[in-house]
């Protein structure tokens, strides 16, 4: 019979091994090379990527890095003049690729007309769409932070449309096209990529004053998980010789990132929108359903979930968001 000290030693050794395994699994996500290039389906410049919300912030970063990687890019936004400006800027920087635009208002999406405009734009491309980046989202409202009790019905609908309904409906509309692509790689892997951008607020929870936004992003997490499972299930029942899913579905989780709407810089755990986009694309092919784009955001989330009392985390988050709400209201008063 094992002695108590031996049992304690075995438990300790098991805990160390489990922790080491988890650390290696986490590190692997950020060490293995990206497989983004597989979606060229030939030479660079022969295929297209669609980036929603591409005129600002992370979306602009995605567009720029995809161009640099040799993809033609279809830019989506709701402001035609801003789309044109971004298009001209990228064409100057990347003359070897093609750049087109499509305007559709995801913020107030309420019918099929906007979706049809995007689908028609995709179908008219001189090539094949192989990458869909569902980036559009956020809280483009004033105020961005407010108690839920003060939210109007239209505000709630707008946030749900922007962050949940539009990306889901766009994915539905484009999925048949993405699934019909013929993979030209010899390994029989996925022929297309869907990358859904989600917020860390949906993962960490406890987010006062942005309840609707956080809930909409939580929907995105589950939608990504289910769609990923569905692609794998279809692969297992397909008559094709390939056992890989027809479409790679990857959820990217975003932590604090500096943008025009979020100038807040938390030392050590904040990066630029351009860098965040580059890190997200580097996660393609990482083998996960969801991955934090930047490893520091992932480490911070793990520490908060596993090394800090939940009550302390709630207090810290509530204090931070209360401060942001107060600053925003003071700025609004000065503006009036």
């Amino acid at each position: 019979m094992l002695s108590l000290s031996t049992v304690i030693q075995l438990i300790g050794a098991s805990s160390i091994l489990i922790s080491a395994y988890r650390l290696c699994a986490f590190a692997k996500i950020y060490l293995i090379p990206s497989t983004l290039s597989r979606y060229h389906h030939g030479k660079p410049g022969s295929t297209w990527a669609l980036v929603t919300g591409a005129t600002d912030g992370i979306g602009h970063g995605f567009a720029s890095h995809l161009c640099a990687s040799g993809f033609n890019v279809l830019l989506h936004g709701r402001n035609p003049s801003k789309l044109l400006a971004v298009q001209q800027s990228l064409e100057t920087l990347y003359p070897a690729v093609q750049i087109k635009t499509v305007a559709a208002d995801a913020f107030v999406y309420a019918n099929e007309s906007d979706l049809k405009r995007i689908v028609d734009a995709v179908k008219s491309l001189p090539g094949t769409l192989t990458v869909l980046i569902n980036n559009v989202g956020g809280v483009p409202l004033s105020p961005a932070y407010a108690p839920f009790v003060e939210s109007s019905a239209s505000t709630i609908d707008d946030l749900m449309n922007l962050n949940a309904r539009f990306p889901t409906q766009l994915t539905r509309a484009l999925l048949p096209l993405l699934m019909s692509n013929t993979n030209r790689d010899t390994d029989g892997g996925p022929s297309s990529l869907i990358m859904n951008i989600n917020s860390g607020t949906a993962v960490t929870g406890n987010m006062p004053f942005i309840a609707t936004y956080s809930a909409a992003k939580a929907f995105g997490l589950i939608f990504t998980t289910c769609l990923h499972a569905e692609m794998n299930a279809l692969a297992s029942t397909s008559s094709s010789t390939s056992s890989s899913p027809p479409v790679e579905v990857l959820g990217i989780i975003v932590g604090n990132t500096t943008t025009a709407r979020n100038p807040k810089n938390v030392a050590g755990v904040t990066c630029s929108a351009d860098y965040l986009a580059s890190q997200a694309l580097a996660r393609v092919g990482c083998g996960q359903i969801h991955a934090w784009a930047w490893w520091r955001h992932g480490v911070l989330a793990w520490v908060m979930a596993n090394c800090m009392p939940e009550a302390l985390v709630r207090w810290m988050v509530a204090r931070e968001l209360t401060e942001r709400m107060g600053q925003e209201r003071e700025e609004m008063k000065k503006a009036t």
Side-chain angles (χ1 to χ4, degrees):
M1 184 175 182
L2 296 176
S3 65
L4 178 60
S5 61
T6 301
V7 172
I8 293 175
Q9 289 175 1
L10 288 173
I11 292 174
S14 299
S15 298
I16 292 173
L17 288 173
I18 292 172
S19 297
Y21 171 79
R22 289 176 176 174
L23 178 61
C24 290
F26 178 79
K28 179 184 176 182
I29 297 173
Y30 302 93
L31 293 176
I32 62 175
S34 172
T35 59
L36 178 65
S37 61
R38 72 172 296 116
Y39 300 112
H40 280 308
H41 287 202
K43 63 182 181 179
S46 63
T47 44
W48 288 79
L50 167 60
V51 181
T52 63
T55 56
D56 296 293
I58 300 171
H60 185 279
F62 274 123
S64 180
H65 286 288
L66 284 165
C67 287
S69 298
F71 286 89
N72 301 317
V73 178
L74 176 61
L75 307 170
H76 159 266
R78 61 173 178 163
N79 187 319
S81 61
K82 290 179 70 174
L83 279 170
L84 178 59
V86 174
Q87 178 184 16
Q88 293 174 338
S89 173
L90 293 176
E91 285 175 340
T92 300
L93 292 172
Y94 307 103
V97 299
Q98 301 178 63
I99 301 169
K100 294 183 179 294
T101 66
V102 57
D105 196 347
F107 188 62
V108 292
Y109 170 74
N111 53 53
E112 291 283 326
S113 61
D114 287 316
L115 284 178
K116 185 177 185 303
R117 190 178 304 117
I118 297 174
V119 173
D120 289 346
V122 169
K123 289 181 177 180
S124 67
L125 294 174
T128 304
L129 180 76
T130 62
V131 176
L132 168 61
I133 308 289
N134 280 316
N135 166 77
V136 71
V139 191
L141 303 171
S142 185
Y145 302 95
F148 183 74
V149 70
E150 297 179 8
S151 300
S152 66
S154 61
T155 293
I156 293 172
D157 283 343
D158 288 345
L159 288 176
M160 294 296 289
N161 285 342
L162 179 67
N163 292 285
R165 189 178 183 210
F166 180 83
T168 304
Q169 291 284 19
L170 181 61
T171 300
R172 173 192 60 80
L174 294 179
L175 189 57
L177 296 175
L178 294 168
M179 291 180 65
S180 67
N181 291 336
T182 301
N183 181 46
R184 300 181 184 178
D185 285 349
T186 57
D187 63 0
S191 60
S192 302
L193 166 70
I194 295 174
M195 180 181 286
N196 294 329
I197 309 305
N198 288 301
S199 170
T201 63
V203 178
T204 56
N206 301 318
M207 293 290 169
F209 312 126
I210 50 172
T212 301
Y213 168 71
S214 298
K217 286 302 185 182
F219 169 89
L221 288 175
I222 300 302
F223 173 66
T224 299
T225 300
C226 293
L227 188 60
H228 180 278
E230 187 172 302
M231 290 297 104
N232 281 278
L234 288 173
S236 66
T237 58
S238 172
S239 58
S240 170
T241 57
S242 173
S243 60
S244 296
V247 179
E248 177 183 354
V249 180
L250 174 61
I252 290 294
I253 308 172
V254 175
N256 196 59
T257 305
T258 53
T259 64
R261 295 194 185 101
N262 179 40
K264 182 76 172 183
N265 190 330
V266 181
V269 289
T270 302
C271 63
S272 69
D274 183 76
Y275 182 73
L276 193 287
S278 72
Q279 290 301 292
L281 293 173
R283 305 286 79 80
V284 176
C286 70
Q288 302 296 307
I289 302 174
H290 302 282
W292 290 88
W294 191 30
W295 68 270
R296 290 193 186 184
H297 289 155
V299 169
L300 176 62
W302 185 87
V303 169
M304 292 175 65
N306 297 279
C307 302
M308 298 173 64
E310 184 178 349
L312 177 60
V313 173
R314 287 200 304 268
W315 177 81
M316 291 173 59
V317 172
R319 180 181 179 184
E320 172 66 24
L321 294 185
T322 300
E323 180 181 328
R324 291 192 185 193
M325 182 174 66
Q327 291 175 346
E328 182 181 49
R329 295 194 173 190
E330 284 298 321
E331 292 171 0
M332 291 174 65
K333 287 181 181 179
K334 291 178 181 178
T336 56

